[in-house]
Coordinates of all heavy atoms in Angstrom, one line a residue:
M1 N 13.7 24.0 -2.4 CA 13.9 22.8 -1.4 C 15.0 23.1 -0.5 O 15.9 23.9 -0.8 CB 14.1 21.6 -2.3 CG 13.5 20.4 -1.6 SD 13.6 19.1 -3.0 CE 12.7 17.9 -2.0
S2 N 15.1 22.4 0.5 CA 16.2 22.7 1.6 C 17.5 22.0 1.2 O 18.5 22.1 2.0 CB 15.8 22.2 2.9 OG 15.5 20.8 2.9
G3 N 17.6 21.4 0.1 CA 18.8 20.7 -0.4 C 18.9 19.3 0.1 O 19.9 18.6 -0.2
R4 N 17.9 18.8 0.8 CA 18.0 17.5 1.3 C 17.6 16.5 0.1 O 16.7 16.7 -0.6 CB 16.8 17.3 2.4 CG 16.8 16.0 3.1 CD 15.8 16.0 4.2 NE 14.4 15.8 3.7 CZ 13.9 14.6 3.3 NH1 14.6 13.5 3.3 NH2 12.6 14.6 3.0
T5 N 18.3 15.5 0.1 CA 18.0 14.4 -1.0 C 16.8 13.7 -0.6 O 16.5 13.2 0.6 CB 19.2 13.6 -1.1 OG1 20.5 14.3 -1.3 CG2 19.1 12.5 -2.3
M6 N 16.0 13.3 -1.5 CA 14.7 12.6 -1.3 C 15.2 11.1 -1.1 O 16.1 10.6 -1.7 CB 13.8 12.6 -2.5 CG 13.2 14.0 -2.7 SD 12.2 14.0 -4.2 CE 10.8 12.9 -3.9
T7 N 14.4 10.4 -0.2 CA 14.6 9.0 0.0 C 14.1 8.2 -1.1 O 13.3 8.7 -2.0 CB 13.9 8.6 1.3 OG1 12.5 8.6 1.2 CG2 14.5 9.4 2.5
W8 N 14.5 6.9 -1.2 CA 14.0 6.1 -2.3 C 12.4 5.9 -2.2 O 11.8 5.9 -3.2 CB 14.6 4.7 -2.2 CG 16.1 4.7 -2.5 CD1 17.1 4.3 -1.5 CD2 16.8 4.8 -3.6 NE1 18.3 4.4 -2.1 CE2 18.1 4.7 -3.5 CE3 16.3 5.1 -5.0 CZ2 19.0 4.8 -4.5 CZ3 17.3 5.2 -6.0 CH2 18.6 5.1 -5.7
R9 N 11.9 5.9 -1.0 CA 10.6 5.8 -0.8 C 9.8 7.0 -1.2 O 8.7 7.0 -1.8 CB 10.2 5.4 0.6 CG 8.8 5.0 0.7 CD 8.4 4.2 2.0 NE 7.1 3.9 2.1 CZ 6.4 3.6 3.1 NH1 7.1 3.3 4.2 NH2 5.1 3.5 3.2
E10 N 10.3 8.2 -0.9 CA 9.8 9.5 -1.3 C 9.8 9.6 -2.8 O 8.9 10.2 -3.4 CB 10.6 10.7 -0.7 CG 10.3 10.7 0.8 CD 11.3 11.8 1.5 OE1 12.3 12.1 0.9 OE2 10.9 12.3 2.6
R11 N 10.8 9.1 -3.4 CA 10.8 9.2 -4.9 C 9.8 8.2 -5.5 O 9.3 8.4 -6.6 CB 12.2 8.9 -5.5 CG 13.2 9.9 -5.1 CD 14.6 9.6 -5.4 NE 14.8 9.3 -6.8 CZ 15.9 8.8 -7.3 NH1 17.0 8.6 -6.6 NH2 16.1 8.6 -8.6
S12 N 9.5 7.1 -4.9 CA 8.6 6.0 -5.4 C 7.1 6.5 -5.1 O 6.3 6.1 -6.1 CB 8.9 4.7 -4.6 OG 10.2 4.3 -4.8
A13 N 6.8 7.1 -4.1 CA 5.4 7.3 -3.7 C 4.6 8.1 -4.9 O 3.5 7.5 -5.2 CB 5.4 8.2 -2.4
P14 N 5.1 9.1 -5.5 CA 4.2 9.7 -6.5 C 4.0 8.8 -7.7 O 3.0 8.8 -8.4 CB 5.0 11.0 -6.9 CG 6.3 11.0 -6.4 CD 6.2 9.8 -5.2
I15 N 5.1 8.0 -8.1 CA 5.0 7.1 -9.2 C 4.0 6.1 -9.0 O 3.1 5.7 -9.8 CB 6.4 6.6 -9.5 CG1 7.4 7.6 -9.9 CG2 6.3 5.5 -10.6 CD1 8.8 7.3 -9.9
V16 N 4.0 5.4 -7.8 CA 3.0 4.4 -7.4 C 1.7 5.0 -7.4 O 0.7 4.4 -8.0 CB 3.4 3.8 -6.1 CG1 2.3 2.9 -5.5 CG2 4.7 3.1 -6.1
A17 N 1.5 6.2 -6.8 CA 0.2 6.8 -6.8 C -0.4 7.1 -8.2 O -1.6 6.9 -8.4 CB 0.2 8.1 -6.1
D18 N 0.5 7.5 -9.1 CA 0.0 7.8 -10.5 C -0.4 6.5 -11.2 O -1.4 6.5 -11.9 CB 1.2 8.4 -11.3 CG 1.4 9.9 -10.9 OD1 0.5 10.5 -10.2 OD2 2.4 10.5 -11.3
V19 N 0.4 5.4 -11.0 CA 0.0 4.2 -11.6 C -1.3 3.6 -11.1 O -2.2 3.2 -11.9 CB 1.1 3.1 -11.4 CG1 0.8 1.8 -11.9 CG2 2.4 3.6 -12.2
I20 N -1.5 3.7 -9.7 CA -2.8 3.3 -9.2 C -4.0 4.1 -9.7 O -5.0 3.7 -10.1 CB -2.7 3.3 -7.6 CG1 -1.7 2.2 -7.2 CG2 -4.1 3.0 -7.0 CD1 -1.4 2.4 -5.7
A21 N -3.7 5.4 -9.8 CA -4.8 6.4 -10.3 C -5.1 6.0 -11.7 O -6.3 6.1 -12.1 CB -4.4 7.8 -10.0
S22 N -4.1 5.8 -12.6 CA -4.4 5.7 -14.0 C -4.9 4.2 -14.3 O -5.7 4.0 -15.2 CB -3.2 6.0 -14.8 OG -2.1 5.0 -14.5
T23 N -4.5 3.2 -13.5 CA -4.9 1.9 -13.8 C -6.1 1.5 -13.1 O -7.0 0.7 -13.6 CB -3.8 0.8 -13.5 OG1 -2.6 1.3 -14.1 CG2 -4.1 -0.5 -13.8
G24 N -6.3 2.0 -11.9 CA -7.5 1.6 -11.0 C -7.1 0.3 -10.3 O -6.1 -0.3 -10.5
R25 N -8.0 0.0 -9.3 CA -7.8 -1.2 -8.4 C -8.5 -2.3 -8.7 O -8.4 -3.4 -8.1 CB -8.1 -0.7 -7.0 CG -7.1 0.3 -6.4 CD -7.6 0.7 -5.0 NE -6.7 1.7 -4.4 CZ -5.8 1.4 -3.5 NH1 -5.7 0.2 -3.1 NH2 -5.0 2.4 -3.1
D26 N -9.5 -2.2 -9.8 CA -10.3 -3.3 -10.1 C -9.6 -4.6 -10.6 O -9.9 -5.7 -10.2 CB -11.4 -2.8 -11.0 CG -12.3 -1.8 -10.5 OD1 -12.5 -1.8 -9.3 OD2 -12.8 -1.0 -11.3
D27 N -8.7 -4.4 -11.5 CA -8.0 -5.5 -12.1 C -6.6 -5.6 -11.5 O -5.7 -4.9 -12.0 CB -7.9 -5.3 -13.7 CG -7.2 -6.5 -14.3 OD1 -6.9 -7.4 -13.8 OD2 -7.2 -6.4 -15.6
Q28 N -6.5 -6.4 -10.5 CA -5.2 -6.5 -9.7 C -4.1 -7.0 -10.6 O -2.9 -6.5 -10.5 CB -5.4 -7.4 -8.5 CG -6.1 -6.8 -7.4 CD -5.4 -5.6 -6.8 OE1 -4.3 -5.8 -6.5 NE2 -6.1 -4.5 -6.7
K29 N -4.4 -7.9 -11.6 CA -3.2 -8.4 -12.5 C -2.7 -7.2 -13.3 O -1.5 -7.1 -13.5 CB -3.8 -9.5 -13.3 CG -2.8 -10.3 -14.1 CD -3.3 -11.5 -14.7 CE -2.2 -12.3 -15.4 NZ -2.8 -13.5 -16.0
A30 N -3.5 -6.4 -13.9 CA -3.2 -5.3 -14.7 C -2.4 -4.2 -13.9 O -1.5 -3.7 -14.4 CB -4.4 -4.6 -15.4
L31 N -2.9 -4.0 -12.7 CA -2.3 -3.1 -11.8 C -0.8 -3.6 -11.4 O 0.1 -2.8 -11.5 CB -3.1 -2.9 -10.5 CG -2.6 -2.0 -9.5 CD1 -2.3 -0.6 -10.0 CD2 -3.5 -1.8 -8.2
R32 N -0.7 -4.8 -11.1 CA 0.6 -5.3 -10.8 C 1.6 -5.2 -12.0 O 2.8 -4.8 -11.9 CB 0.5 -6.8 -10.3 CG -0.1 -7.0 -9.0 CD 0.7 -6.4 -7.9 NE 0.0 -6.7 -6.6 CZ 0.5 -6.3 -5.5 NH1 1.7 -5.8 -5.4 NH2 -0.2 -6.6 -4.3
R33 N 1.0 -5.5 -13.1 CA 1.8 -5.4 -14.3 C 2.3 -3.9 -14.6 O 3.5 -3.7 -14.9 CB 1.1 -5.9 -15.5 CG 1.9 -6.0 -16.8 CD 1.0 -6.5 -18.0 NE 0.2 -7.7 -17.7 CZ -1.2 -7.6 -17.8 NH1 -1.8 -6.4 -18.3 NH2 -2.0 -8.6 -17.5
A34 N 1.4 -3.0 -14.4 CA 1.7 -1.6 -14.6 C 2.7 -1.1 -13.6 O 3.5 -0.4 -13.9 CB 0.4 -0.7 -14.5
L35 N 2.6 -1.6 -12.3 CA 3.5 -1.2 -11.3 C 5.0 -1.8 -11.7 O 6.0 -1.2 -11.5 CB 3.1 -1.7 -10.0 CG 2.0 -0.8 -9.3 CD1 1.4 -1.6 -8.1 CD2 2.4 0.5 -9.0
R36 N 5.0 -3.0 -12.1 CA 6.2 -3.6 -12.6 C 6.9 -2.8 -13.7 O 8.1 -2.5 -13.7 CB 5.9 -5.1 -13.1 CG 7.3 -5.9 -13.2 CD 6.9 -7.4 -13.4 NE 6.0 -7.6 -14.4 CZ 4.7 -8.2 -14.2 NH1 4.3 -8.4 -13.0 NH2 3.9 -8.4 -15.2
H37 N 6.1 -2.4 -14.6 CA 6.7 -1.6 -15.7 C 7.1 -0.1 -15.4 O 7.9 0.4 -16.0 CB 5.8 -1.6 -17.0 CG 5.6 -2.8 -17.6 ND1 6.5 -3.6 -18.2 CD2 4.4 -3.6 -17.8 CE1 6.2 -4.7 -18.7 NE2 4.9 -4.8 -18.4
A38 N 6.5 0.3 -14.3 CA 6.8 1.7 -13.9 C 8.0 1.8 -13.0 O 8.3 2.9 -12.6 CB 5.6 2.3 -13.2
Y39 N 8.6 0.7 -12.6 CA 9.7 0.7 -11.6 C 10.8 1.7 -12.2 O 11.3 1.5 -13.3 CB 10.2 -0.6 -11.4 CG 11.4 -0.7 -10.5 CD1 11.2 -0.5 -9.2 CD2 12.7 -0.9 -11.0 CE1 12.2 -0.6 -8.2 CE2 13.8 -1.0 -10.0 CZ 13.5 -0.8 -8.7 OH 14.6 -0.9 -7.8
P40 N 11.2 2.7 -11.4 CA 12.0 3.7 -12.0 C 13.5 3.6 -11.8 O 14.3 4.4 -12.4 CB 11.5 5.0 -11.2 CG 11.2 4.4 -9.9 CD 10.5 3.1 -10.2
F41 N 13.9 2.6 -11.0 CA 15.3 2.5 -10.7 C 16.0 1.4 -11.5 O 15.3 0.6 -12.1 CB 15.5 2.3 -9.2 CG 14.7 3.2 -8.3 CD1 13.7 2.8 -7.5 CD2 14.9 4.6 -8.4 CE1 13.0 3.6 -6.7 CE2 14.2 5.4 -7.6 CZ 13.2 5.0 -6.8
A42 N 17.3 1.4 -11.6 CA 18.1 0.6 -12.5 C 17.8 -1.0 -12.3 O 17.3 -1.7 -13.1 CB 19.5 0.9 -12.4
E43 N 18.1 -1.5 -11.0 CA 18.0 -2.9 -10.8 C 16.9 -3.2 -9.7 O 16.7 -2.3 -8.9 CB 19.3 -3.5 -10.3 CG 20.4 -3.3 -11.3 CD 21.7 -3.9 -10.8 OE1 21.7 -4.8 -9.9 OE2 22.8 -3.4 -11.2
R44 N 16.4 -4.3 -9.8 CA 15.4 -4.8 -8.8 C 16.1 -5.6 -7.8 O 15.8 -6.7 -7.5 CB 14.3 -5.7 -9.5 CG 13.5 -4.9 -10.5 CD 12.4 -5.8 -11.0 NE 11.8 -5.2 -12.3 CZ 10.9 -4.3 -12.2 NH1 10.5 -3.8 -11.1 NH2 10.4 -3.9 -13.4
S45 N 17.0 -4.8 -7.1 CA 17.7 -5.4 -5.9 C 18.2 -4.3 -5.0 O 18.2 -3.1 -5.4 CB 18.9 -6.2 -6.4 OG 19.8 -5.4 -7.0
G46 N 18.5 -4.5 -3.9 CA 19.0 -3.6 -2.9 C 18.0 -2.8 -2.3 O 16.8 -3.1 -2.4
Y47 N 18.4 -1.7 -1.6 CA 17.5 -0.9 -0.8 C 16.5 -0.1 -1.6 O 15.3 0.0 -1.3 CB 18.2 0.1 0.1 CG 17.3 0.8 1.1 CD1 16.8 0.0 2.1 CD2 16.8 2.1 0.9 CE1 16.0 0.6 3.1 CE2 15.9 2.6 1.8 CZ 15.5 1.9 2.9 OH 14.6 2.5 3.7
A48 N 16.8 0.3 -2.8 CA 15.8 1.0 -3.7 C 14.6 0.1 -4.0 O 13.4 0.6 -4.0 CB 16.5 1.5 -4.9
Y49 N 14.9 -1.1 -4.3 CA 13.8 -2.1 -4.7 C 12.9 -2.4 -3.5 O 11.8 -2.4 -3.5 CB 14.4 -3.4 -5.2 CG 13.4 -4.3 -5.8 CD1 12.4 -3.8 -6.6 CD2 13.3 -5.6 -5.4 CE1 11.5 -4.7 -7.2 CE2 12.3 -6.5 -5.9 CZ 11.4 -6.0 -6.8 OH 10.4 -6.8 -7.3
K50 N 13.6 -2.5 -2.2 CA 12.8 -2.8 -1.1 C 12.0 -1.6 -0.7 O 10.8 -1.7 -0.3 CB 13.8 -3.1 0.1 CG 13.1 -3.4 1.4 CD 14.1 -3.8 2.5 CE 13.5 -4.1 3.8 NZ 14.4 -4.6 4.8
A51 N 12.5 -0.3 -0.8 CA 11.7 0.9 -0.6 C 10.5 0.9 -1.6 O 9.3 1.3 -1.3 CB 12.6 2.1 -0.8
W52 N 10.7 0.6 -2.8 CA 9.6 0.5 -3.9 C 8.5 -0.4 -3.4 O 7.3 -0.1 -3.4 CB 10.2 0.1 -5.2 CG 9.2 -0.1 -6.3 CD1 8.7 -1.4 -6.6 CD2 8.5 0.8 -7.1 NE1 7.8 -1.2 -7.7 CE2 7.6 0.0 -7.9 CE3 8.6 2.2 -7.2 CZ2 6.9 0.7 -8.9 CZ3 7.8 2.8 -8.1 CH2 6.9 2.0 -9.0
L53 N 9.0 -1.6 -3.1 CA 8.0 -2.7 -2.7 C 7.2 -2.3 -1.3 O 6.0 -2.5 -1.2 CB 8.6 -4.0 -2.3 CG 9.3 -4.7 -3.7 CD1 10.0 -5.9 -3.2 CD2 8.2 -5.0 -4.7
T54 N 7.8 -1.5 -0.5 CA 7.3 -1.1 0.8 C 6.2 -0.1 0.4 O 5.1 -0.1 1.0 CB 8.3 -0.6 1.8 OG1 9.3 -1.6 2.1 CG2 7.6 0.0 3.0
E55 N 6.5 0.9 -0.5 CA 5.6 1.9 -0.9 C 4.4 1.3 -1.7 O 3.2 1.7 -1.4 CB 6.3 2.9 -1.7 CG 5.4 4.1 -2.0 CD 4.9 4.8 -0.8 OE1 5.6 4.8 0.2 OE2 3.8 5.4 -1.0
V56 N 4.6 0.3 -2.5 CA 3.5 -0.3 -3.2 C 2.6 -1.0 -2.2 O 1.3 -0.7 -2.3 CB 4.1 -1.3 -4.3 CG1 3.0 -2.3 -4.8 CG2 4.7 -0.6 -5.4
K57 N 3.2 -1.7 -1.3 CA 2.4 -2.4 -0.3 C 1.5 -1.4 0.5 O 0.4 -1.6 0.8 CB 3.2 -3.3 0.6 CG 2.5 -4.0 1.7 CD 3.5 -4.9 2.4 CE 2.6 -5.7 3.5 NZ 3.5 -6.6 4.3
A58 N 2.2 -0.3 0.9 CA 1.5 0.7 1.7 C 0.4 1.4 1.1 O -0.8 1.5 1.6 CB 2.5 1.7 2.2
Q59 N 0.5 1.6 -0.2 CA -0.5 2.4 -1.0 C -1.6 1.4 -1.3 O -2.8 1.7 -1.5 CB 0.0 3.1 -2.2 CG 0.8 4.3 -1.8 CD 1.2 5.1 -3.0 OE1 0.3 5.3 -4.0 NE2 2.3 5.9 -2.9
L60 N -1.3 0.1 -1.6 CA -2.3 -0.9 -2.1 C -3.1 -1.3 -0.9 O -4.3 -1.7 -0.9 CB -1.7 -2.1 -2.8 CG -1.2 -1.8 -4.1 CD1 -0.6 -3.1 -4.8 CD2 -2.3 -1.2 -5.1
S61 N -2.5 -1.4 0.3 CA -3.2 -1.8 1.5 C -4.0 -0.8 2.2 O -4.8 -1.1 3.0 CB -2.3 -2.6 2.5 OG -1.5 -1.6 3.0
H62 N -3.8 0.4 1.8 CA -4.5 1.5 2.4 C -6.0 1.5 2.4 O -6.7 1.5 3.4 CB -4.1 2.9 1.8 CG -4.8 4.0 2.3 ND1 -4.6 4.5 3.6 CD2 -5.7 4.9 1.8 CE1 -5.4 5.5 3.8 NE2 -6.0 5.8 2.7
G63 N -6.5 1.1 1.2 CA -8.0 0.9 1.1 C -8.5 -0.4 1.7 O -9.7 -0.5 2.1
L64 N -7.7 -1.3 1.8 CA -8.1 -2.6 2.4 C -8.4 -2.6 3.8 O -9.2 -3.1 4.3 CB -7.1 -3.7 2.1 CG -6.8 -4.0 0.6 CD1 -5.8 -5.0 0.5 CD2 -8.1 -4.5 -0.1
R65 N -7.6 -1.7 4.5 CA -7.8 -1.7 6.0 C -9.2 -1.2 6.4 O -9.8 -1.6 7.3 CB -6.7 -0.7 6.6 CG -5.4 -1.4 6.6 CD -4.4 -0.6 7.4 NE -3.0 -1.0 7.1 CZ -2.1 -0.2 6.9 NH1 -2.2 1.0 6.9 NH2 -0.9 -0.8 6.7
A66 N -9.7 -0.2 5.7 CA -11.0 0.4 5.9 C -12.1 -0.6 5.7 O -13.0 -0.7 6.4 CB -11.1 1.7 5.1
D67 N -11.9 -1.4 4.6 CA -12.8 -2.4 4.3 C -12.9 -3.5 5.4 O -14.0 -3.9 5.8 CB -12.6 -3.1 2.9 CG -12.7 -2.1 1.8 OD1 -13.4 -1.1 2.0 OD2 -12.1 -2.4 0.7
R68 N -11.8 -4.0 5.8 CA -11.7 -5.0 6.9 C -12.4 -4.4 8.2 O -13.1 -5.1 8.9 CB -10.3 -5.5 7.2 CG -9.9 -6.5 6.2 CD -8.7 -7.1 6.6 NE -7.7 -6.9 5.6 CZ -6.5 -6.5 5.7 NH1 -6.0 -6.4 7.0 NH2 -5.7 -6.4 4.7
T69 N -12.1 -3.2 8.6 CA -12.7 -2.5 9.7 C -14.2 -2.5 9.7 O -14.8 -2.9 10.7 CB -12.1 -1.2 9.9 OG1 -10.7 -1.3 10.0 CG2 -12.5 -0.6 11.2
A70 N -14.8 -2.1 8.5 CA -16.1 -2.0 8.4 C -16.8 -3.5 8.5 O -17.8 -3.7 9.1 CB -16.5 -1.4 7.1
E71 N -16.0 -4.4 7.9 CA -16.6 -5.8 7.8 C -16.7 -6.4 9.2 O -17.7 -7.1 9.5 CB -15.7 -6.6 7.0 CG -16.1 -8.0 6.8 CD -15.1 -8.8 6.0 OE1 -14.7 -8.2 4.9 OE2 -14.7 -9.9 6.4
H72 N -15.8 -6.1 10.1 CA -15.8 -6.7 11.5 C -16.3 -5.7 12.6 O -16.3 -6.1 13.7 CB -14.3 -7.1 11.8 CG -13.8 -8.1 10.9 ND1 -14.3 -9.3 10.7 CD2 -12.7 -8.0 9.9 CE1 -13.6 -10.0 9.9 NE2 -12.7 -9.2 9.4
A73 N -16.8 -4.6 12.2 CA -17.4 -3.7 13.1 C -18.4 -4.3 14.0 O -18.5 -4.1 15.1 CB -17.9 -2.5 12.5
G74 N -19.3 -5.1 13.4 CA -20.5 -5.7 14.2 C -19.9 -6.6 15.2 O -20.4 -6.8 16.2
Q75 N -18.9 -7.3 14.9 CA -18.2 -8.2 15.9 C -17.7 -7.6 17.1 O -17.9 -8.0 18.2 CB -17.1 -9.1 15.2 CG -17.7 -10.0 14.3 CD -16.5 -10.8 13.5 OE1 -15.4 -10.6 13.8 NE2 -16.9 -11.7 12.6
V76 N -17.1 -6.4 16.9 CA -16.6 -5.6 17.9 C -17.7 -5.1 18.8 O -17.6 -5.1 20.1 CB -15.7 -4.4 17.5 CG1 -15.3 -3.6 18.6 CG2 -14.5 -5.0 16.8
D77 N -18.8 -4.6 18.3 CA -19.9 -4.1 19.0 C -20.5 -5.2 19.8 O -20.9 -5.0 21.0 CB -20.9 -3.5 18.1 CG -20.5 -2.2 17.5 OD1 -19.6 -1.5 18.0 OD2 -21.0 -1.8 16.4
A78 N -20.7 -6.4 19.3 CA -21.3 -7.5 20.0 C -20.4 -7.8 21.2 O -21.0 -8.2 22.3 CB -21.4 -8.7 19.1
F79 N -19.1 -7.8 21.0 CA -18.3 -8.1 22.1 C -18.4 -7.1 23.3 O -18.5 -7.4 24.4 CB -16.9 -8.2 21.7 CG -15.9 -8.5 22.8 CD1 -15.8 -9.8 23.3 CD2 -15.0 -7.6 23.2 CE1 -14.9 -10.1 24.3 CE2 -14.1 -7.8 24.2 CZ -14.1 -9.1 24.8
K80 N -18.5 -5.8 22.8 CA -18.6 -4.7 23.9 C -19.9 -4.8 24.5 O -20.0 -4.5 25.8 CB -18.4 -3.4 23.2 CG -17.0 -3.0 22.8 CD -16.9 -1.7 22.2 CE -15.4 -1.5 21.8 NZ -15.3 -0.2 21.1
Q81 N -21.0 -5.2 23.9 CA -22.4 -5.3 24.5 C -22.3 -6.4 25.5 O -22.9 -6.3 26.5 CB -23.5 -5.5 23.3 CG -23.7 -4.3 22.6 CD -24.7 -4.6 21.5 OE1 -25.2 -5.6 21.4 NE2 -25.0 -3.5 20.7
Q82 N -21.7 -7.5 25.1 CA -21.6 -8.6 26.0 C -20.9 -8.3 27.3 O -21.3 -8.7 28.4 CB -20.9 -9.8 25.3 CG -21.0 -11.1 26.0 CD -20.3 -12.3 25.3 OE1 -19.5 -12.0 24.5 NE2 -20.8 -13.4 25.5
E83 N -19.8 -7.5 27.3 CA -19.1 -7.1 28.4 C -19.9 -6.2 29.4 O -19.8 -6.3 30.6 CB -17.8 -6.3 28.1 CG -16.6 -7.0 27.5 CD -15.5 -6.1 27.2 OE1 -15.7 -5.0 27.1 OE2 -14.4 -6.7 27.0
R84 N -20.8 -5.5 28.8 CA -21.7 -4.5 29.7 C -22.8 -5.2 30.4 O -23.2 -4.7 31.4 CB -22.3 -3.4 28.8 CG -21.3 -2.3 28.3 CD -22.0 -1.3 27.6 NE -21.2 -1.1 26.4 CZ -21.8 -0.8 25.2 NH1 -23.0 -0.7 25.1 NH2 -21.0 -0.6 24.1
Q85 N -23.2 -6.4 29.9 CA -24.3 -7.1 30.6 C -23.8 -7.8 31.9 O -22.7 -8.3 32.0 CB -24.9 -8.2 29.7 CG -25.5 -7.6 28.5 CD -26.0 -8.7 27.5 OE1 -25.8 -9.9 27.7 NE2 -26.7 -8.3 26.5
P86 N -24.6 -7.7 33.0 CA -24.1 -8.4 34.2 C -24.1 -9.8 34.2 O -24.6 -10.5 33.5 CB -25.1 -7.8 35.3 CG -26.3 -7.3 34.5 CD -25.8 -7.0 33.1

């Protein structure tokens, strides 16, 4: 390594990914509980906690964006077709 210290979020990312992979996304309550127990830093306050929450949100919402895009794809196409008509 280049001697650079990892950021709080970089330290959080693999832990969050491991918890999601081992718990799965089907049971959100169990997933949230597992993420809460996996928190690696001392206190749930300050920048470390904010970075953890940001990483959790980023990894959990990753799959949701694709689902929403597919769900609304027909609406976008209909709008584009309407624009092309004279």
Side-chain angles (χ1 to χ4, degrees):
M1 217 168 184
S2 65
R4 184 178 77 78
T5 305
M6 292 176 65
T7 65
W8 293 111
R9 189 160 176 196
E10 288 171 338
R11 292 172 62 185
S12 299
I15 299 167
V16 172
D18 288 345
V19 170
I20 293 171
S22 65
T23 307
R25 293 175 181 258
D26 295 334
D27 185 356
Q28 286 292 309
K29 191 172 183 178
L31 177 57
R32 294 286 181 180
R33 187 178 320 115
L35 286 166
R36 190 170 50 251
H37 291 300
Y39 182 71
F41 311 117
E43 296 182 32
R44 294 183 195 278
S45 64
Y47 189 74
Y49 188 54
K50 184 175 180 178
W52 170 264
L53 293 175
T54 301
E55 186 59 31
V56 167
K57 183 177 180 181
Q59 289 195 33
L60 290 180
S61 67
H62 178 66
L64 297 176
R65 288 187 193 137
D67 293 343
R68 277 192 238 135
T69 303
E71 180 181 315
H72 298 296
Q75 292 177 358
V76 174
D77 289 341
F79 181 70
K80 287 181 180 179
Q81 288 176 2
Q82 191 176 25
E83 282 182 343
R84 286 187 230 143
Q85 294 176 357

